Amino acid sequence: MVEVYKNFLSIEECNILNNIAFQGVKEGWVNKGIDNFKFGYELRYTSRIHMKNAEYPKEVIEFSNRVRKFMNIDNYPIIEGHGKNGVVVSVIFKDGDVYEHKDPRSSDGLGTYRCNIVTQKNEDGAELYVNGVKIELNPGDLHCYWASESSHYVSKANGSTPRILWMFGAHLPLNLMKK
């Protein structure tokens, strides 16, 4: 089950995050991603493995704290290996996608609960599917789901506008999962 909170961020807030994502691409801390467990995928960039000594601007941390507090997950650990400060940004370019997968659980067996926000849509494609169901999203919509327990992917981006997704979330005990 995917929970969607429409207009969680305003268009102005989305634009702030979009500018930060493109700043990351320019500076190299958002760079080639992973496709089917192979590094160097040029059609989807990510901050997941490229942050090194870079720091997110304060607005990113503020948005992350806002999401975690809103979802009442701010007392749980951030997702292991999930970028810096528990935040990842992904930029999907034309012809890019995300292969179908489930995220790993934590090293101590906690579930991976993702709370994501698309801040810029691709005009044709790059749509999220969770357990085979297309999730209708607009820029600014917060969507949360158990990524370790749900198969998910993003369809091919056919348009020229890059899709930008900001990922937040936490590791949660599986007994919190709604049946």
Side-chain angles (χ1 to χ4, degrees):
M1 179 173 125
V2 179
E3 296 176 89
V4 178
Y5 301 90
K6 295 290 189 185
N7 303 308
F8 183 80
L9 293 183
S10 69
I11 295 304
E12 293 80 17
E13 291 169 320
C14 288
N15 287 335
I16 290 169
L17 288 173
N18 293 338
N19 289 333
I20 292 170
F22 289 127
Q23 172 189 346
V25 170
K26 181 178 177 184
E27 295 176 0
W29 50 267
V30 176
N31 213 317
K32 295 177 186 174
I34 305 166
D35 185 47
N36 244 348
F37 305 102
K38 294 180 202 161
F39 292 92
Y41 185 49
E42 295 184 6
L43 300 177
R44 185 181 68 252
Y45 276 34
T46 181
S47 65
R48 182 184 314 267
I49 52 179
H50 300 289
M51 288 295 292
K52 295 183 177 96
N53 295 325
E55 296 293 333
Y56 284 117
K58 66 177 176 44
E59 294 91 347
V60 173
I61 304 306
E62 290 169 1
F63 289 131
S64 176
N65 291 339
R66 185 166 144 197
V67 167
R68 290 171 52 80
K69 188 172 191 83
F70 177 80
M71 292 306 299
N72 200 28
I73 59 173
D74 51 329
N75 290 320
Y76 292 98
I78 60 174
I79 298 170
E80 292 173 2
H82 195 231
K84 194 162 222 173
N85 304 108
V87 179
V88 171
V89 60
S90 171
V91 181
I92 297 178
F93 300 102
K94 183 173 177 28
D95 296 327
D97 63 0
V98 177
Y99 60 95
E100 190 167 4
H101 68 285
K102 289 183 182 179
D103 292 11
R105 291 180 181 171
S106 73
S107 57
D108 54 356
L110 295 174
T112 300
Y113 188 72
R114 288 212 185 276
C115 295
N116 304 333
I117 302 173
V118 172
T119 57
Q120 181 170 283
K121 282 179 73 167
N122 182 268
E123 64 268 38
D124 181 20
E127 297 168 317
L128 174 65
Y129 288 80
V130 178
N131 292 327
V133 176
K134 179 179 165 183
I135 308 302
E136 297 290 341
L137 298 169
N138 289 307
D141 293 349
L142 173 66
H143 60 284
C144 303
Y145 61 99
W146 290 86
S148 59
E149 313 308 307
S150 304
S151 181
H152 55 283
Y153 68 94
V154 176
S155 64
K156 181 179 172 184
N158 298 308
S160 60
T161 303
R163 175 192 191 258
I164 300 175
L165 175 77
W166 287 85
M167 295 172 256
F168 311 99
H171 281 306
L172 304 178
L174 291 170
N175 66 355
L176 295 179
M177 186 168 45
K178 296 176 183 172
K179 301 291 179 199

